[in-house]
Amino acid sequence: MEREMVDLCEVICIHEESVNEVRREMITEDTSRSLAEIFKTLGDPTRVKLLFALMKKELCVCDLAAVIGASESAVSHQLRILRTQQLVKFRREGKMLYYSLADKHVERLFEQGLEHVTE
Amino acid sequence: MEREMVDLCEVICIHEESVNEVRREMITEDTSRSLAEIFKTLGDPTRVKLLFALMKKELCVCDLAAVIGASESAVSHQLRILRTQQLVKFRREGKMLYYSLADKHVERLFEQGLEHVTE
DNA sequence: TGGACATATGAACAATCACTCATATGTTAA
DNA sequence: TTAACATATGAGTGATTGTTCATATGTCCA
């Protein structure tokens, strides 16, 4: 099926060598999906603000809501997404959950992202 | 209005000092939006594949469509988004447009992203 | 145990998205 | 100029998203 497609397009405009060359080194379907998922998770202002706040300090849900100016429910929903992507972790202390960054990757991603934004 | 909110929540659960401390160093609304926008742009498998392909080689729309297995129209639409975000550039050669990465930021972002994915 | 509180979760809904299909634009060659 | 082609763009559509509101869970304290 893939072969047919190449052959079909080839007669029109494809540079076969280039296409095959790039195809050989191409990212897998799974990897591109995982990568996109991480970036999509970072692709929302609320989550960006949450992560940025957590870069400074471990905070509970209520604090996070106050810092970024969103409802606690909205924050909780977004934290769930960040947890699912392993971007944040938390520890319980009494009734409260203290959230923090799971690792240093987010900070580096933000640095790179900001470099692009402020270019 | 913000003061009221702090005061209101404070009586319940806020750690005032932490909140104020983090707030003082907080990212601006504009920056968080721009940052989110870049990440959102990277947050789609089709665009990830397009950018990954362009990391290897300059390619025309038709080649890109063949490499990632999408319609030329879909590719064109996604390239427009990448162009808007200044992630790719292009040059015309006859009827064809050759696309390439606008800078090296994307590669570094992908590296960081992959580190997180394959952790 | 029961009530208060911090947080989580589910349903619902408006907004946004990525695709397809049809059509438009811009370039080359006859 | 006209035909052919590479690409771009607009409208339409089903799917996904982020929020709110209502309710559930889990912990502490009286």
Side-chain angles (χ1 to χ4, degrees):
Chain A
M1 195 183 128
E2 287 199 315
R3 266 234 65 75
E4 276 170 35
M5 210 174 136
V6 171
D7 291 345
L8 184 66
C9 286
E10 191 189 341
V11 265
I12 310 181
C13 76
I14 282 207
H15 304 78
E16 199 182 6
E17 343 71 50
S18 291
V19 169
N20 287 336
E21 182 190 332
V22 175
R23 263 203 183 166
R24 239 178 284 120
E25 308 176 66
M26 197 54 188
I27 199 173
T28 67
E29 202 64 40
D30 272 359
T31 306
S32 62
R33 191 170 10 204
S34 306
L35 207 44
E37 214 169 331
I38 283 297
F39 287 128
K40 191 189 287 183
T41 303
L42 299 178
D44 172 77
T46 300
R47 291 191 290 270
V48 165
K49 284 184 262 177
L50 286 175
L51 292 168
F52 194 88
L54 293 176
M55 277 171 57
K56 304 299 177 189
K57 209 178 212 296
E58 176 189 63
L59 292 164
C60 73
V61 176
C62 184
D63 290 343
L64 281 168
V67 167
I68 75 169
S71 76
E72 292 172 34
S73 179
V75 168
S76 190
H77 275 294
Q78 298 310 325
L79 284 171
R80 190 164 64 84
I81 294 173
L82 296 175
R83 253 185 292 142
T84 303
Q85 294 292 319
Q86 321 248 46
L87 290 169
V88 300
K89 56 183 165 54
F90 64 94
R91 67 181 177 84
R92 182 178 281 282
E93 192 169 301
K95 287 179 249 181
M96 288 185 292
L97 297 180
Y98 285 90
Y99 280 85
S100 54
L101 294 188
D103 58 47
K104 295 289 177 189
H105 291 141
V106 172
E107 309 194 32
R108 297 216 208 90
L109 282 164
F110 273 22
E111 280 167 28
Q112 292 294 331
L114 281 170
E115 259 184 53
H116 182 85
V117 167
T118 62
E119 83 194 342
Chain B
M1 195 185 130
E2 287 199 315
R3 266 232 66 75
E4 275 170 35
M5 210 174 134
V6 171
D7 291 343
L8 183 67
C9 287
E10 191 189 339
V11 265
I12 311 180
C13 76
I14 282 207
H15 304 78
E16 199 182 5
E17 343 70 51
S18 291
V19 169
N20 287 336
E21 183 189 331
V22 175
R23 262 202 183 165
R24 238 176 286 121
E25 307 177 65
M26 197 54 187
I27 199 173
T28 67
E29 201 65 40
D30 271 358
T31 306
S32 63
R33 190 171 10 204
S34 306
L35 208 43
E37 213 170 333
I38 282 297
F39 286 129
K40 189 189 286 184
T41 302
L42 300 177
D44 173 77
T46 299
R47 290 192 290 268
V48 165
K49 283 184 264 179
L50 287 175
L51 292 168
F52 195 87
L54 293 177
M55 276 171 57
K56 305 298 177 190
K57 208 177 213 298
E58 175 189 64
L59 291 164
C60 72
V61 176
C62 184
D63 291 341
L64 282 167
V67 167
I68 74 169
S71 76
E72 293 172 33
S73 178
V75 168
S76 190
H77 275 294
Q78 297 311 321
L79 284 172
R80 190 164 63 85
I81 293 172
L82 295 175
R83 251 184 294 142
T84 304
Q85 295 293 320
Q86 322 248 45
L87 290 169
V88 301
K89 56 185 163 56
F90 63 94
R91 66 182 177 84
R92 183 178 281 282
E93 190 169 301
K95 288 180 248 181
M96 289 186 292
L97 297 180
Y98 286 90
Y99 280 85
S100 54
L101 294 188
D103 57 47
K104 294 290 177 188
H105 291 142
V106 172
E107 308 194 32
R108 299 217 205 90
L109 282 164
F110 274 22
E111 280 167 26
Q112 293 294 331
L114 281 170
E115 260 184 51
H116 181 86
V117 166
T118 63
E119 82 192 345

